[in-house]
Amino acid sequence: MDRILGCFSTNNESKENVLKMAKTINFKNKYMDTLYGDDTVILNGFLFSSSDISKNRFIVSEDNDIIIGIDGFIYNIDIFFLIILYKKYDEEMFSQLNGQFSLAIIDKNKSKLILVRDRFGTKPMFYAKINDSIYFSSEINSLKAVLQDDEIDERSLRDICTTWANLGDHTFYKNISSVECGSYVSFSDGNLKSTKYFNLNILPKDKEKTEEDLVDELDYLLNKSIARRLNEPEKTAFYLSGGLDSSLIAAIASKHIDERIDTFSISFLDKNYDEAKYQDMISKYLNSNHRCLTVSSTDVISNIENVVKIIQSPITKTGLSPMYLLSRYVKENGFDTVLSGEGADEIFGGYDIFKEVKIREFCEKDPSSKTRPLLYKRLYSYVNGYESFNSATLSTFFNQVELNEMFSSHYTRFKYGDYCSQFFNKNLRDRLKSYDYIEEIKKNLPEYYDKFSKIAKAQYLEIETFLNNYLLLLQGDSIAMSNGISCKYPFLDNDITDFAFALKDKFKINVLNEKYLLKKLAARYLPDEFLKRKKFPFRAPIDCIGILDRFTSLLTENNLDKANIFNSKAVLKFIDNIKIKDIFSEREQMLLMFIVSVQCLKIKN
């Protein structure tokens, strides 16, 4: 399927606006039918009207009263049965769907528009209300084409420098909203309403199963999930990062495909970020048709402005640039779809931030211990200078928050927001005093959140603040689809996430062994040498001096003042300090990317 955009309206102005939107969006299908009627809509790359819908290739009821467009894929029902399901269950059908999708439903009988996103928000959906019309689109750029202004949502600035992505329904633009993950937005009688149909439930089941039984069950479910995502006509390839998750998907998929599978990876010239050794190991083990794209720091920098314009959001990381280059490379080689390993770290306990919770709990049992904080040395080994920290430094940094405090697992990460926001100008800081990002996160907390274990609470936060709106929405779908590539994520199949969320913590992190159960499964498909490797997160190089050289014109006092976001004197002082340093801290790198990306959107829009 393809992108969705359209308008729920009956006035003539909406027709012209929809055409403006269509010129900006990136459809995989480059052709359109240009038909007009009372309710003008574009779905899946075709412009059509409800009066002429029966002539076209869309999901529509026999009496033309219900129209459904889909961006993405649904795996547990043929999409042509969606009309029947909607007529029987109405909005209650959304919780029954297993897939990666956003939907636009026009119900003419109820004069109603419904916009829906799947459980984890793997596919985007944005909307804007203009007078009495609702415009909606898979891409922000098309909505900007019809808005009278592009005033920013200042809350978004605080969100992004704190959690790396927008919270709730926020976008960078005040008059554009996002349908939240696992939610639908309905519009009728001039009223908008957002409803949550899915909430994470990370509570272990009472019934105890043996480890072997659990591995068998996961084996079955993952094979089933991958097979579902291979049952499409598109030519499919596989991302191979060099990590466990993508390697396991490729290994299982190779059992379902008769010919050699096609794998793609990124290699960085900066060896501190490169995983080519493990990519090559797995590609040879699987005998795949492997292609590797070598990316330099210059390549990363030269595509920063491009990716920022695609996603229409500031960023604090450079990972989007190489992912843009990789998806373009995949498309150039004749593929339309890739399978990737996103979601496994979040649902099976793969990140250091989860192990940090266990170590903090261990330290709290003996606060005077000088040896227990040394366990923190087993985390974040990829961070510059981290290995030089002593016990006292580690204890001061990580144990400054207690486990019983709200969102303690992410306290140290969220503190980056305080550091970045001190560079806002005074007027903006004053206006943001009334905005509390913690309260924004708490809005969607399920009523049973307090029953979660400490690790489950950390998982919940990581999914809600990082996976959904950064990893899947920005670095995943938005970037890949800009090159006409659909990303599919087998680990985010409903059956697998339900299984993972029901696991006891010991099957996620056993002592400090992350993704314990998933590794047990991987042992059936991958070589022992590979399984013993140290986990290394996907990261792209940040050449701070190169970034400053590239974006010098954006960072002048005049342009900083023109953008009216930052305190220009504070930023210029920060830049002067960067220029004389050889090693940069994580927060300095993030701040620089944040400032540059905001300036890209404000000055060169």
Side-chain angles (χ1 to χ4, degrees):
M1 288 296 178
D2 209 337
R3 288 315 210 189
I4 297 174
L5 76 84
C7 175
F8 187 63
S9 176
T10 57
N11 62 56
N12 291 327
E13 179 185 350
S14 66
K15 297 177 182 178
E16 298 304 316
N17 284 338
V18 167
L19 287 175
K20 289 180 185 177
M21 294 168 67
K23 291 177 181 177
T24 68
I25 203 165
N26 182 59
F27 291 117
K28 287 175 70 175
N29 297 320
K30 299 299 182 183
Y31 48 88
M32 296 183 186
D33 296 332
T34 52
L35 305 171
Y36 293 94
D38 293 333
D39 300 79
T40 303
V41 185
I42 291 184
L43 300 172
N44 307 121
F46 301 88
L47 179 63
F48 65 88
S49 68
S50 57
S51 59
D52 295 312
I53 190 68
S54 59
K55 302 175 185 177
N56 292 290
R57 298 168 285 268
F58 299 97
I59 311 166
V60 65
S61 60
E62 291 182 358
D63 48 7
N64 290 348
D65 60 339
I66 297 172
I67 306 165
I68 300 180
I70 175 173
D71 176 7
F73 307 88
I74 296 174
Y75 299 113
N76 63 333
I77 184 174
D78 190 300
I79 60 172
F80 295 101
F81 287 101
L82 286 176
I83 295 290
I84 298 172
L85 202 62
Y86 174 74
K87 285 189 171 183
K88 183 174 182 178
Y89 295 104
D90 207 56
E91 286 96 339
E92 291 183 7
M93 84 167 187
F94 305 140
S95 61
Q96 302 176 42
L97 302 179
N98 184 357
Q100 298 175 206
F101 60 86
S102 60
L103 303 176
I105 302 174
I106 294 177
D107 187 334
K108 294 184 69 177
N109 291 327
K110 299 178 181 178
S111 297
K112 189 175 188 179
L113 169 71
I114 307 171
L115 305 174
V116 194
R117 289 178 72 197
D118 67 57
R119 289 183 173 191
F120 296 97
T122 58
K123 287 291 181 178
M125 178 61 73
F126 305 101
Y127 62 94
K129 185 176 182 181
I130 304 176
N131 299 323
D132 294 325
S133 302
I134 291 292
Y135 293 85
F136 57 91
S137 175
S138 301
E139 297 180 9
I140 288 177
N141 276 309
S142 57
L143 291 172
K144 285 184 62 186
V146 298
L147 284 171
Q148 299 301 312
D149 64 73
D150 57 0
E151 182 181 357
I152 71 168
D153 185 339
E154 294 174 343
R155 298 172 301 176
S156 170
L157 295 168
R158 180 64 207 228
D159 290 348
I160 293 166
C161 68
T162 303
T163 69
W164 307 346
N166 283 300
L167 295 173
D169 63 354
H170 303 169
T171 74
F172 187 60
Y173 299 99
K174 186 175 182 179
N175 295 315
I176 300 176
S177 299
S178 172
V179 178
E180 296 186 56
C181 309
S183 300
Y184 64 90
V185 170
S186 56
F187 177 71
S188 61
D189 299 324
N191 297 314
L192 269 171
K193 181 182 179 183
S194 178
T195 304
K196 193 84 170 169
Y197 72 85
F198 173 77
N199 257 315
L200 297 173
N201 186 357
I202 316 177
L203 289 170
K205 302 298 183 185
D206 293 333
K207 186 177 179 181
E208 185 73 45
K209 295 182 180 179
T210 67
E211 181 179 296
E212 191 66 20
D213 286 343
L214 289 171
V215 175
D216 287 342
E217 184 176 354
L218 179 56
D219 197 350
Y220 168 76
L221 292 175
L222 189 53
N223 270 271
K224 183 179 178 182
S225 174
I226 290 170
R228 280 172 168 169
R229 285 155 179 80
L230 294 175
N231 189 28
E232 297 289 343
E234 292 96 344
K235 193 175 180 182
T236 300
F238 300 84
Y239 281 161
L240 199 59
S241 69
L244 175 73
D245 311 327
S246 61
S247 299
L248 180 56
I249 287 172
I252 293 176
S254 68
K255 309 293 184 185
H256 292 265
I257 299 174
D258 292 334
E259 62 269 18
R260 293 168 67 192
I261 64 171
D262 294 272
T263 54
F264 288 81
S265 64
I266 298 170
S267 174
F268 292 112
L269 290 178
D270 186 337
K271 297 307 176 184
N272 291 318
Y273 297 85
D274 188 51
E275 292 194 272
K277 171 185 174 181
Y278 299 105
Q279 296 162 0
D280 292 342
M281 180 190 296
I282 295 302
S283 64
K284 289 175 182 176
Y285 182 77
L286 299 178
N287 190 31
S288 68
N289 296 310
H290 188 62
R291 302 168 182 86
C292 181
L293 179 68
T294 301
V295 176
S296 67
S297 293
T298 301
D299 295 328
V300 171
I301 294 169
S302 63
N303 281 279
I304 287 174
E305 184 172 358
N306 184 29
V307 299
V308 168
K309 294 298 180 64
I310 289 169
I311 65 173
Q312 286 295 309
S313 173
I315 54 178
T316 60
K317 302 284 187 178
T318 53
L320 279 73
S321 284
M323 292 309 296
Y324 170 80
L325 294 171
L326 181 60
S327 60
R328 187 178 69 184
Y329 184 54
V330 171
K331 189 67 175 181
E332 289 170 351
N333 278 274
F335 295 87
D336 303 306
T337 302
V338 293
L339 266 61
S340 190
E342 278 78 358
D345 281 315
E346 289 80 6
I347 67 173
F348 287 108
Y351 290 134
D352 279 353
I353 201 165
F354 304 140
K355 290 192 282 188
E356 183 184 322
V357 171
K358 291 199 72 172
I359 296 173
R360 183 177 289 117
E361 184 174 28
F362 185 59
C363 288
E364 284 188 3
K365 292 177 180 178
D366 185 2
S368 62
S369 173
K370 293 183 179 181
T371 56
R372 293 192 177 200
L374 290 175
L375 286 171
Y376 287 118
K377 277 184 172 287
R378 298 176 65 174
L379 312 178
Y380 309 115
S381 59
Y382 50 86
V383 175
N384 285 335
Y386 186 83
E387 68 283 351
S388 65
F389 295 157
N390 59 31
S391 174
T393 301
L394 291 169
S395 180
T396 300
F397 181 74
F398 286 107
N399 296 335
Q400 60 185 299
V401 60
E402 295 182 359
L403 274 175
N404 60 4
E405 294 183 34
M406 177 68 78
F407 306 150
S408 60
S409 61
H410 285 59
Y411 175 85
T412 54
R413 180 187 296 178
F414 290 171
K415 291 299 288 183
Y416 281 126
D418 293 338
Y419 173 69
C420 291
S421 60
Q422 68 181 333
F423 289 86
F424 294 154
N425 62 42
K426 184 179 184 304
N427 290 336
L428 177 57
R429 289 201 309 273
D430 288 344
R431 291 193 296 272
L432 285 173
K433 283 180 180 178
S434 61
Y435 175 62
D436 186 346
Y437 67 89
I438 292 294
E439 290 302 315
E440 192 67 30
I441 296 173
K442 288 166 66 174
K443 283 182 181 179
N444 283 331
L445 287 182
E447 59 185 15
Y448 42 80
Y449 174 78
D450 286 339
K451 296 180 181 179
F452 290 173
S453 71
K454 293 177 175 61
I455 288 177
K457 287 178 179 179
Q459 287 182 277
Y460 176 91
L461 269 185
E462 191 70 0
I463 292 169
E464 288 290 309
T465 65
F466 176 69
L467 175 68
N468 294 348
N469 287 336
Y470 177 80
L471 200 59
L472 298 177
L473 177 60
L474 301 184
Q475 187 169 295
D477 182 83
S478 297
I479 291 301
M481 282 297 290
S482 71
N483 287 312
I485 294 293
S486 296
C487 287
K488 297 180 180 178
Y489 309 113
F491 285 111
L492 293 178
D493 189 275
N494 288 8
D495 294 341
I496 292 181
T497 57
D498 288 347
F499 168 85
F501 293 150
L503 291 173
K504 296 182 184 299
D505 288 345
K506 67 180 181 180
F507 294 117
K508 301 170 190 174
I509 303 176
N510 193 297
V511 188
L512 290 180
N513 184 10
E514 77 278 356
K515 286 190 292 198
Y516 176 77
L517 194 74
L518 192 62
K519 286 180 179 178
K520 291 292 183 181
L521 172 60
R524 298 181 177 182
Y525 294 93
L526 298 171
D528 290 340
E529 180 185 1
F530 176 80
L531 293 173
K532 293 175 182 176
R533 65 156 300 191
K534 185 176 178 62
K535 178 176 172 55
F536 189 83
F538 172 74
R539 301 168 75 239
I542 301 181
D543 177 0
C544 292
I545 302 302
I547 290 172
L548 289 177
D549 289 342
R550 174 84 179 192
F551 296 101
T552 299
S553 62
L554 285 180
L555 301 173
T556 63
E557 183 173 5
N558 180 61
N559 275 333
L560 287 164
D561 289 339
K562 182 180 178 182
N564 196 29
I565 300 294
F566 300 104
N567 179 327
S568 59
K569 288 183 173 53
V571 169
L572 292 173
K573 183 178 179 181
F574 165 72
I575 290 173
D576 286 341
N577 289 332
I578 288 289
K579 289 178 179 179
I580 60 174
K581 297 184 72 172
D582 295 321
I583 299 177
F584 312 99
S585 69
E586 192 90 354
R587 70 177 190 174
E588 287 171 333
Q589 293 173 336
M590 291 173 62
L591 173 60
L592 181 60
M593 276 304 304
F594 180 65
I595 293 170
V596 166
S597 57
V598 169
Q599 290 296 107
C600 283
L601 291 168
K602 289 292 291 180
I603 300 300
K604 290 191 175 183
N605 239 2

